[in-house]
Amino acid sequence: GASANNLMMQFQSDLLNVPVIRPANTDTTALGATYLAGLAVGVWKSKIEIAKQWKINKHFKPKMKSVTRNTLLANWIKGLKQATV
């Protein structure tokens, strides 16, 4: 669900200041279980073979200015402290 939201993915990239890559198949929990089962029974020979199945849907690169990022993170930390008191 959430990874389909472009705004959320861009915001994560901006706040973390790292690129975020959204895969073509976002249902990775079920897919991961399927890949592990397939490895166990020989459908795939290796993790490398499985990795070749992975396709990129979209790249999100950090665009936020560091001043904005630092302000947002400071406010987040302040909010967490207030919520846990």
Side-chain angles (χ1 to χ4, degrees):
S3 66
N5 185 315
N6 287 341
L7 178 62
M8 183 174 176
M9 295 295 95
Q10 183 60 56
F11 193 61
Q12 283 187 348
S13 176
D14 288 338
L15 280 183
L16 297 171
N17 199 30
V18 298
V20 171
I21 300 171
R22 178 173 53 211
N25 184 343
T26 57
D27 191 8
T28 56
T29 302
L31 189 59
T34 302
Y35 284 149
L36 287 174
L39 272 174
V41 298
V43 173
W44 292 284
K45 295 181 176 95
S46 69
K47 292 178 189 176
I48 294 169
E49 189 177 355
I50 291 172
K52 290 178 183 177
Q53 306 290 318
W54 200 79
K55 305 287 184 234
I56 295 172
N57 171 265
K58 187 168 183 171
H59 282 94
F60 298 89
K61 296 178 183 175
K63 298 177 183 176
M64 186 178 286
K65 293 180 180 179
S66 60
V67 172
T68 303
R69 179 183 310 105
N70 292 338
T71 300
L72 288 170
L73 290 172
N75 288 336
W76 175 255
I77 291 168
K78 181 180 174 183
L80 285 177
K81 288 179 180 176
Q82 290 175 349
T84 59
V85 172

Short mmCIF file of all heavy atoms in Angstrom, two decimals, residues 8-68:
data_model
loop_
_atom_site.label_atom_id
_atom_site.label_comp_id
_atom_site.label_asym_id
_atom_site.label_seq_id
_atom_site.Cartn_x
_atom_site.Cartn_y
_atom_site.Cartn_z
N MET A 8 4.82 10.03 -0.42
CA MET A 8 5.42 9.38 0.75
C MET A 8 6.83 8.87 0.45
O MET A 8 7.73 9.01 1.26
CB MET A 8 4.54 8.24 1.24
CG MET A 8 5.05 7.58 2.47
SD MET A 8 3.86 6.37 3.06
CE MET A 8 4.75 5.70 4.42
N MET A 9 7.01 8.28 -0.71
CA MET A 9 8.33 7.76 -1.06
C MET A 9 9.35 8.90 -1.22
O MET A 9 10.50 8.79 -0.79
CB MET A 9 8.27 6.94 -2.35
CG MET A 9 7.44 5.67 -2.24
SD MET A 9 8.13 4.46 -1.10
CE MET A 9 7.22 4.83 0.40
N GLN A 10 8.91 10.01 -1.83
CA GLN A 10 9.81 11.16 -1.98
C GLN A 10 10.15 11.74 -0.61
O GLN A 10 11.30 12.10 -0.34
CB GLN A 10 9.18 12.23 -2.87
CG GLN A 10 10.10 13.41 -3.12
CD GLN A 10 11.40 13.01 -3.81
OE1 GLN A 10 11.38 12.41 -4.87
NE2 GLN A 10 12.53 13.34 -3.20
N PHE A 11 9.16 11.81 0.27
CA PHE A 11 9.38 12.35 1.62
C PHE A 11 10.37 11.48 2.39
O PHE A 11 11.25 11.99 3.09
CB PHE A 11 8.04 12.46 2.35
CG PHE A 11 8.10 13.27 3.61
CD1 PHE A 11 8.47 14.61 3.58
CD2 PHE A 11 7.77 12.69 4.82
CE1 PHE A 11 8.51 15.36 4.75
CE2 PHE A 11 7.81 13.44 5.99
CZ PHE A 11 8.18 14.78 5.95
N GLN A 12 10.26 10.17 2.26
CA GLN A 12 11.22 9.28 2.92
C GLN A 12 12.62 9.51 2.39
O GLN A 12 13.59 9.58 3.15
CB GLN A 12 10.83 7.81 2.72
CG GLN A 12 9.70 7.37 3.60
CD GLN A 12 9.45 5.88 3.51
OE1 GLN A 12 9.95 5.19 2.63
NE2 GLN A 12 8.66 5.37 4.42
N SER A 13 12.75 9.62 1.09
CA SER A 13 14.05 9.89 0.49
C SER A 13 14.62 11.20 1.00
O SER A 13 15.80 11.28 1.36
CB SER A 13 13.93 9.92 -1.04
OG SER A 13 15.15 10.25 -1.64
N ASP A 14 13.77 12.22 1.06
CA ASP A 14 14.21 13.53 1.53
C ASP A 14 14.63 13.50 2.99
O ASP A 14 15.69 14.02 3.35
CB ASP A 14 13.09 14.56 1.36
CG ASP A 14 12.86 14.95 -0.09
OD1 ASP A 14 13.78 14.77 -0.92
OD2 ASP A 14 11.76 15.43 -0.40
N LEU A 15 13.81 12.90 3.85
CA LEU A 15 14.13 12.88 5.29
C LEU A 15 15.35 12.03 5.60
O LEU A 15 16.16 12.39 6.46
CB LEU A 15 12.94 12.38 6.11
CG LEU A 15 11.84 13.40 6.37
CD1 LEU A 15 10.77 12.80 7.26
CD2 LEU A 15 12.38 14.67 6.99
N LEU A 16 15.48 10.91 4.92
CA LEU A 16 16.62 10.02 5.17
C LEU A 16 17.87 10.48 4.42
O LEU A 16 18.98 10.01 4.70
CB LEU A 16 16.26 8.59 4.77
CG LEU A 16 15.12 7.96 5.57
CD1 LEU A 16 14.71 6.64 4.95
CD2 LEU A 16 15.52 7.78 7.02
N ASN A 17 17.67 11.36 3.44
CA ASN A 17 18.75 11.87 2.59
C ASN A 17 19.48 10.74 1.86
O ASN A 17 20.70 10.72 1.75
CB ASN A 17 19.73 12.73 3.39
CG ASN A 17 20.55 13.63 2.51
OD1 ASN A 17 20.10 14.05 1.44
ND2 ASN A 17 21.77 13.94 2.92
N VAL A 18 18.69 9.79 1.39
CA VAL A 18 19.21 8.67 0.60
C VAL A 18 18.24 8.38 -0.54
O VAL A 18 17.05 8.69 -0.45
CB VAL A 18 19.38 7.38 1.46
CG1 VAL A 18 20.38 7.58 2.57
CG2 VAL A 18 18.05 6.90 2.01
N PRO A 19 18.73 7.77 -1.61
CA PRO A 19 17.81 7.35 -2.68
C PRO A 19 16.88 6.24 -2.18
O PRO A 19 17.28 5.41 -1.37
CB PRO A 19 18.73 6.82 -3.77
CG PRO A 19 20.09 7.30 -3.43
CD PRO A 19 20.12 7.51 -1.95
N VAL A 20 15.65 6.26 -2.66
CA VAL A 20 14.69 5.20 -2.36
C VAL A 20 14.27 4.61 -3.70
O VAL A 20 13.96 5.35 -4.64
CB VAL A 20 13.47 5.75 -1.59
CG1 VAL A 20 12.37 4.72 -1.47
CG2 VAL A 20 13.88 6.26 -0.21
N ILE A 21 14.27 3.31 -3.78
CA ILE A 21 13.88 2.63 -5.01
C ILE A 21 12.62 1.81 -4.74
O ILE A 21 12.59 0.98 -3.83
CB ILE A 21 15.01 1.70 -5.51
CG1 ILE A 21 16.26 2.52 -5.79
CG2 ILE A 21 14.56 0.93 -6.75
CD1 ILE A 21 17.49 1.69 -6.07
N ARG A 22 11.60 2.07 -5.53
CA ARG A 22 10.35 1.30 -5.41
C ARG A 22 10.38 0.18 -6.44
O ARG A 22 10.56 0.43 -7.63
CB ARG A 22 9.14 2.19 -5.63
CG ARG A 22 7.83 1.40 -5.54
CD ARG A 22 6.60 2.26 -5.60
NE ARG A 22 6.61 3.13 -6.76
CZ ARG A 22 6.04 4.34 -6.77
NH1 ARG A 22 5.45 4.82 -5.71
NH2 ARG A 22 6.06 5.06 -7.87
N PRO A 23 10.21 -1.06 -5.99
CA PRO A 23 10.20 -2.17 -6.95
C PRO A 23 8.89 -2.21 -7.75
O PRO A 23 7.87 -1.64 -7.32
CB PRO A 23 10.32 -3.40 -6.06
CG PRO A 23 9.74 -2.99 -4.75
CD PRO A 23 10.03 -1.52 -4.62
N ALA A 24 8.93 -2.86 -8.88
CA ALA A 24 7.72 -3.04 -9.69
C ALA A 24 6.67 -3.83 -8.92
O ALA A 24 5.48 -3.52 -8.99
CB ALA A 24 8.07 -3.73 -11.01
N ASN A 25 7.10 -4.83 -8.19
CA ASN A 25 6.18 -5.63 -7.37
C ASN A 25 6.33 -5.18 -5.92
O ASN A 25 7.35 -5.45 -5.29
CB ASN A 25 6.49 -7.12 -7.51
CG ASN A 25 5.48 -7.98 -6.76
OD1 ASN A 25 4.76 -7.51 -5.90
ND2 ASN A 25 5.46 -9.25 -7.10
N THR A 26 5.32 -4.50 -5.39
CA THR A 26 5.42 -3.97 -4.03
C THR A 26 4.91 -4.95 -2.98
O THR A 26 4.99 -4.65 -1.80
CB THR A 26 4.66 -2.64 -3.91
OG1 THR A 26 3.30 -2.85 -4.29
CG2 THR A 26 5.29 -1.57 -4.79
N ASP A 27 4.40 -6.08 -3.37
CA ASP A 27 3.92 -7.09 -2.42
C ASP A 27 5.08 -8.00 -2.04
O ASP A 27 5.09 -9.19 -2.33
CB ASP A 27 2.76 -7.89 -3.01
CG ASP A 27 2.06 -8.74 -1.97
OD1 ASP A 27 2.37 -8.61 -0.77
OD2 ASP A 27 1.20 -9.55 -2.36
N THR A 28 6.09 -7.43 -1.39
CA THR A 28 7.33 -8.16 -1.15
C THR A 28 7.25 -9.19 -0.02
O THR A 28 8.07 -10.10 0.00
CB THR A 28 8.49 -7.18 -0.88
OG1 THR A 28 8.14 -6.33 0.21
CG2 THR A 28 8.79 -6.35 -2.12
N THR A 29 6.30 -9.06 0.88
CA THR A 29 6.19 -10.05 1.95
C THR A 29 5.83 -11.41 1.37
O THR A 29 6.51 -12.41 1.62
CB THR A 29 5.14 -9.62 3.00
OG1 THR A 29 5.52 -8.35 3.51
CG2 THR A 29 5.07 -10.62 4.13
N ALA A 30 4.78 -11.45 0.59
CA ALA A 30 4.36 -12.71 -0.03
C ALA A 30 5.41 -13.19 -1.03
O ALA A 30 5.70 -14.38 -1.12
CB ALA A 30 3.01 -12.53 -0.72
N LEU A 31 5.98 -12.25 -1.77
CA LEU A 31 6.98 -12.62 -2.76
C LEU A 31 8.22 -13.23 -2.11
O LEU A 31 8.77 -14.22 -2.59
CB LEU A 31 7.36 -11.39 -3.59
CG LEU A 31 8.24 -11.62 -4.80
CD1 LEU A 31 7.57 -12.57 -5.80
CD2 LEU A 31 8.55 -10.29 -5.47
N GLY A 32 8.65 -12.65 -0.99
CA GLY A 32 9.81 -13.18 -0.27
C GLY A 32 9.57 -14.60 0.20
O GLY A 32 10.45 -15.47 0.08
N ALA A 33 8.39 -14.86 0.74
CA ALA A 33 8.05 -16.21 1.19
C ALA A 33 8.05 -17.18 0.00
O ALA A 33 8.52 -18.32 0.11
CB ALA A 33 6.69 -16.20 1.88
N THR A 34 7.54 -16.71 -1.12
CA THR A 34 7.51 -17.55 -2.33
C THR A 34 8.93 -17.87 -2.80
O THR A 34 9.23 -19.01 -3.16
CB THR A 34 6.73 -16.83 -3.44
OG1 THR A 34 5.42 -16.56 -2.97
CG2 THR A 34 6.67 -17.65 -4.70
N TYR A 35 9.79 -16.87 -2.80
CA TYR A 35 11.17 -17.10 -3.21
C TYR A 35 11.89 -18.08 -2.29
O TYR A 35 12.61 -18.97 -2.75
CB TYR A 35 11.95 -15.78 -3.26
CG TYR A 35 11.64 -14.93 -4.47
CD1 TYR A 35 11.72 -13.54 -4.38
CD2 TYR A 35 11.31 -15.47 -5.70
CE1 TYR A 35 11.46 -12.74 -5.48
CE2 TYR A 35 11.04 -14.68 -6.80
CZ TYR A 35 11.12 -13.32 -6.69
OH TYR A 35 10.87 -12.53 -7.79
N LEU A 36 11.68 -17.94 -0.99
CA LEU A 36 12.31 -18.88 -0.05
C LEU A 36 11.82 -20.30 -0.26
O LEU A 36 12.61 -21.25 -0.25
CB LEU A 36 12.05 -18.44 1.39
CG LEU A 36 12.81 -17.21 1.86
CD1 LEU A 36 12.35 -16.78 3.24
CD2 LEU A 36 14.31 -17.46 1.85
N ALA A 37 10.52 -20.44 -0.47
CA ALA A 37 9.97 -21.77 -0.73
C ALA A 37 10.54 -22.33 -2.04
O ALA A 37 10.90 -23.52 -2.12
CB ALA A 37 8.44 -21.71 -0.79
N GLY A 38 10.62 -21.48 -3.05
CA GLY A 38 11.18 -21.91 -4.34
C GLY A 38 12.63 -22.33 -4.24
O GLY A 38 13.05 -23.29 -4.88
N LEU A 39 13.41 -21.62 -3.40
CA LEU A 39 14.80 -22.03 -3.17
C LEU A 39 14.85 -23.41 -2.51
O LEU A 39 15.67 -24.25 -2.86
CB LEU A 39 15.51 -21.02 -2.26
CG LEU A 39 16.19 -19.84 -2.91
CD1 LEU A 39 16.71 -18.87 -1.85
CD2 LEU A 39 17.33 -20.28 -3.80
N ALA A 40 13.96 -23.61 -1.54
CA ALA A 40 13.95 -24.87 -0.79
C ALA A 40 13.65 -26.08 -1.67
O ALA A 40 14.18 -27.16 -1.44
CB ALA A 40 12.94 -24.79 0.35
N VAL A 41 12.81 -25.89 -2.67
CA VAL A 41 12.42 -27.03 -3.52
C VAL A 41 13.11 -27.03 -4.88
O VAL A 41 12.81 -27.85 -5.73
CB VAL A 41 10.87 -27.09 -3.71
CG1 VAL A 41 10.18 -27.30 -2.37
CG2 VAL A 41 10.34 -25.87 -4.43
N GLY A 42 14.03 -26.10 -5.09
CA GLY A 42 14.83 -26.13 -6.31
C GLY A 42 14.27 -25.38 -7.50
O GLY A 42 14.76 -25.55 -8.62
N VAL A 43 13.22 -24.58 -7.31
CA VAL A 43 12.70 -23.78 -8.42
C VAL A 43 13.77 -22.78 -8.86
O VAL A 43 13.97 -22.55 -10.05
CB VAL A 43 11.40 -23.05 -8.03
CG1 VAL A 43 10.95 -22.09 -9.13
CG2 VAL A 43 10.30 -24.06 -7.71
N TRP A 44 14.46 -22.18 -7.87
CA TRP A 44 15.58 -21.29 -8.15
C TRP A 44 16.83 -21.90 -7.55
O TRP A 44 16.80 -22.51 -6.49
CB TRP A 44 15.35 -19.90 -7.54
CG TRP A 44 14.24 -19.17 -8.23
CD1 TRP A 44 14.29 -18.55 -9.45
CD2 TRP A 44 12.90 -18.99 -7.77
NE1 TRP A 44 13.07 -18.01 -9.76
CE2 TRP A 44 12.20 -18.25 -8.74
CE3 TRP A 44 12.22 -19.38 -6.62
CZ2 TRP A 44 10.87 -17.90 -8.61
CZ3 TRP A 44 10.90 -19.03 -6.48
CH2 TRP A 44 10.23 -18.30 -7.47
N LYS A 45 17.93 -21.73 -8.24
CA LYS A 45 19.19 -22.34 -7.79
C LYS A 45 19.94 -21.49 -6.78
O LYS A 45 20.73 -22.00 -6.01
CB LYS A 45 20.08 -22.61 -9.00
CG LYS A 45 19.50 -23.65 -9.95
CD LYS A 45 20.43 -23.88 -11.12
CE LYS A 45 19.91 -24.98 -12.01
NZ LYS A 45 19.13 -24.51 -13.14
N SER A 46 19.71 -20.16 -6.81
CA SER A 46 20.47 -19.28 -5.93
C SER A 46 19.73 -17.97 -5.70
O SER A 46 18.79 -17.63 -6.42
CB SER A 46 21.84 -18.97 -6.54
OG SER A 46 21.67 -18.16 -7.69
N LYS A 47 20.23 -17.21 -4.72
CA LYS A 47 19.68 -15.88 -4.46
C LYS A 47 19.97 -14.96 -5.64
O LYS A 47 19.18 -14.06 -5.93
CB LYS A 47 20.28 -15.30 -3.18
CG LYS A 47 19.85 -16.03 -1.93
CD LYS A 47 20.53 -15.43 -0.71
CE LYS A 47 20.28 -16.28 0.52
NZ LYS A 47 21.02 -15.77 1.68
N ILE A 48 21.06 -15.19 -6.31
CA ILE A 48 21.41 -14.37 -7.48
C ILE A 48 20.37 -14.54 -8.58
O ILE A 48 19.95 -13.57 -9.22
CB ILE A 48 22.83 -14.72 -7.99
CG1 ILE A 48 23.86 -14.31 -6.93
CG2 ILE A 48 23.11 -14.06 -9.33
CD1 ILE A 48 25.26 -14.82 -7.19
N GLU A 49 19.94 -15.76 -8.78
CA GLU A 49 18.90 -16.03 -9.78
C GLU A 49 17.61 -15.32 -9.41
O GLU A 49 16.92 -14.75 -10.27
CB GLU A 49 18.67 -17.54 -9.90
CG GLU A 49 17.78 -17.92 -11.05
CD GLU A 49 17.61 -19.43 -11.20
OE1 GLU A 49 18.27 -20.20 -10.46
OE2 GLU A 49 16.81 -19.82 -12.05
N ILE A 50 17.28 -15.29 -8.13
CA ILE A 50 16.08 -14.59 -7.66
C ILE A 50 16.24 -13.09 -7.85
O ILE A 50 15.31 -12.41 -8.29
CB ILE A 50 15.79 -14.93 -6.18
CG1 ILE A 50 15.36 -16.39 -6.06
CG2 ILE A 50 14.73 -14.01 -5.60
CD1 ILE A 50 15.24 -16.89 -4.64
N ALA A 51 17.41 -12.56 -7.54
CA ALA A 51 17.66 -11.12 -7.67
C ALA A 51 17.44 -10.64 -9.10
O ALA A 51 17.03 -9.49 -9.31
CB ALA A 51 19.07 -10.78 -7.19
N LYS A 52 17.67 -11.50 -10.06
CA LYS A 52 17.47 -11.12 -11.46
C LYS A 52 15.99 -10.91 -11.79
O LYS A 52 15.67 -10.27 -12.79
CB LYS A 52 18.07 -12.19 -12.39
CG LYS A 52 19.57 -12.21 -12.35
CD LYS A 52 20.13 -13.31 -13.24
CE LYS A 52 21.65 -13.37 -13.13
NZ LYS A 52 22.21 -14.47 -13.92
N GLN A 53 15.10 -11.42 -10.94
CA GLN A 53 13.66 -11.25 -11.13
C GLN A 53 13.20 -9.84 -10.75
O GLN A 53 12.14 -9.40 -11.16
CB GLN A 53 12.88 -12.27 -10.27
CG GLN A 53 13.26 -13.71 -10.46
CD GLN A 53 12.84 -14.24 -11.79
OE1 GLN A 53 11.74 -13.96 -12.26
NE2 GLN A 53 13.70 -15.01 -12.42
N TRP A 54 14.00 -9.16 -9.92
CA TRP A 54 13.63 -7.88 -9.33
C TRP A 54 13.68 -6.77 -10.37
O TRP A 54 14.67 -6.62 -11.08
CB TRP A 54 14.58 -7.58 -8.17
CG TRP A 54 14.08 -6.58 -7.20
CD1 TRP A 54 13.18 -6.80 -6.20
CD2 TRP A 54 14.46 -5.21 -7.11
NE1 TRP A 54 12.99 -5.65 -5.49
CE2 TRP A 54 13.76 -4.65 -6.04
CE3 TRP A 54 15.33 -4.40 -7.83
CZ2 TRP A 54 13.89 -3.32 -5.66
CZ3 TRP A 54 15.45 -3.07 -7.47
CH2 TRP A 54 14.75 -2.56 -6.40
N LYS A 55 12.62 -6.01 -10.47
CA LYS A 55 12.53 -4.89 -11.42
C LYS A 55 12.21 -3.59 -10.67
O LYS A 55 11.48 -3.59 -9.69
CB LYS A 55 11.42 -5.14 -12.46
CG LYS A 55 11.55 -6.45 -13.21
CD LYS A 55 12.67 -6.40 -14.22
CE LYS A 55 12.71 -7.68 -15.02
NZ LYS A 55 13.94 -8.36 -15.05
N ILE A 56 12.76 -2.50 -11.17
CA ILE A 56 12.54 -1.19 -10.56
C ILE A 56 11.35 -0.51 -11.21
O ILE A 56 11.22 -0.49 -12.43
CB ILE A 56 13.80 -0.31 -10.72
CG1 ILE A 56 14.96 -0.90 -9.94
CG2 ILE A 56 13.51 1.13 -10.28
CD1 ILE A 56 16.29 -0.21 -10.19
N ASN A 57 10.49 0.06 -10.36
CA ASN A 57 9.37 0.86 -10.84
C ASN A 57 9.76 2.34 -10.91
O ASN A 57 9.50 3.01 -11.91
CB ASN A 57 8.16 0.68 -9.93
CG ASN A 57 7.03 1.63 -10.25
OD1 ASN A 57 6.94 2.68 -9.63
ND2 ASN A 57 6.20 1.28 -11.21
N LYS A 58 10.39 2.85 -9.83
CA LYS A 58 10.72 4.28 -9.79
C LYS A 58 11.82 4.56 -8.78
O LYS A 58 11.88 3.94 -7.73
CB LYS A 58 9.47 5.09 -9.43
CG LYS A 58 9.66 6.58 -9.54
CD LYS A 58 8.33 7.31 -9.47
CE LYS A 58 8.62 8.80 -9.66
NZ LYS A 58 7.43 9.58 -9.81
N HIS A 59 12.69 5.52 -9.12
CA HIS A 59 13.73 6.03 -8.21
C HIS A 59 13.25 7.34 -7.59
O HIS A 59 12.69 8.18 -8.29
CB HIS A 59 15.02 6.36 -8.98
CG HIS A 59 15.84 5.17 -9.34
ND1 HIS A 59 15.73 4.54 -10.54
CD2 HIS A 59 16.79 4.52 -8.65
CE1 HIS A 59 16.58 3.54 -10.59
NE2 HIS A 59 17.24 3.50 -9.46
N PHE A 60 13.53 7.51 -6.31
CA PHE A 60 13.27 8.77 -5.63
C PHE A 60 14.61 9.24 -5.06
O PHE A 60 15.25 8.52 -4.31
CB PHE A 60 12.25 8.60 -4.50
CG PHE A 60 10.91 8.12 -4.99
CD1 PHE A 60 10.63 6.77 -5.10
CD2 PHE A 60 9.93 9.03 -5.36
CE1 PHE A 60 9.42 6.32 -5.55
CE2 PHE A 60 8.70 8.59 -5.83
CZ PHE A 60 8.44 7.24 -5.93
N LYS A 61 15.01 10.45 -5.45
CA LYS A 61 16.29 10.99 -5.00
C LYS A 61 16.04 12.16 -4.06
O LYS A 61 15.11 12.94 -4.28
CB LYS A 61 17.13 11.44 -6.19
CG LYS A 61 17.50 10.29 -7.09
CD LYS A 61 18.29 10.75 -8.30
CE LYS A 61 18.56 9.54 -9.19
NZ LYS A 61 19.21 9.92 -10.43
N PRO A 62 16.87 12.31 -3.01
CA PRO A 62 16.67 13.41 -2.08
C PRO A 62 16.73 14.77 -2.78
O PRO A 62 17.61 15.00 -3.61
CB PRO A 62 17.84 13.29 -1.10
CG PRO A 62 18.44 11.95 -1.33
CD PRO A 62 18.04 11.51 -2.69
N LYS A 63 15.76 15.63 -2.47
CA LYS A 63 15.69 16.97 -3.05
C LYS A 63 15.57 18.05 -1.98
O LYS A 63 15.72 19.22 -2.29
CB LYS A 63 14.48 17.07 -3.99
CG LYS A 63 14.52 16.13 -5.18
CD LYS A 63 13.26 16.26 -6.00
CE LYS A 63 13.26 15.27 -7.15
NZ LYS A 63 12.01 15.31 -7.91
N MET A 64 15.30 17.64 -0.76
CA MET A 64 15.03 18.60 0.31
C MET A 64 16.32 19.27 0.78
O MET A 64 17.35 18.62 0.91
CB MET A 64 14.37 17.86 1.49
CG MET A 64 13.90 18.73 2.61
SD MET A 64 13.10 17.76 3.92
CE MET A 64 11.54 17.36 3.14
N LYS A 65 16.23 20.56 1.06
CA LYS A 65 17.37 21.29 1.60
C LYS A 65 17.66 20.81 3.02
O LYS A 65 16.73 20.47 3.76
CB LYS A 65 17.09 22.78 1.59
CG LYS A 65 16.99 23.37 0.20
CD LYS A 65 16.72 24.85 0.24
CE LYS A 65 16.61 25.38 -1.18
NZ LYS A 65 16.33 26.82 -1.19
N SER A 66 18.92 20.79 3.39
CA SER A 66 19.31 20.27 4.71
C SER A 66 18.69 21.08 5.85
O SER A 66 18.35 20.52 6.88
CB SER A 66 20.83 20.20 4.85
OG SER A 66 21.40 21.47 4.71
N VAL A 67 18.51 22.37 5.66
CA VAL A 67 17.88 23.20 6.71
C VAL A 67 16.45 22.73 6.96
O VAL A 67 16.02 22.57 8.10
CB VAL A 67 17.91 24.70 6.30
CG1 VAL A 67 17.10 25.54 7.26
CG2 VAL A 67 19.33 25.20 6.20
N THR A 68 15.72 22.48 5.89
CA THR A 68 14.34 21.99 6.01
C THR A 68 14.32 20.62 6.66
O THR A 68 13.51 20.35 7.57
CB THR A 68 13.67 21.94 4.62
OG1 THR A 68 13.74 23.23 4.03
CG2 THR A 68 12.23 21.50 4.72
#
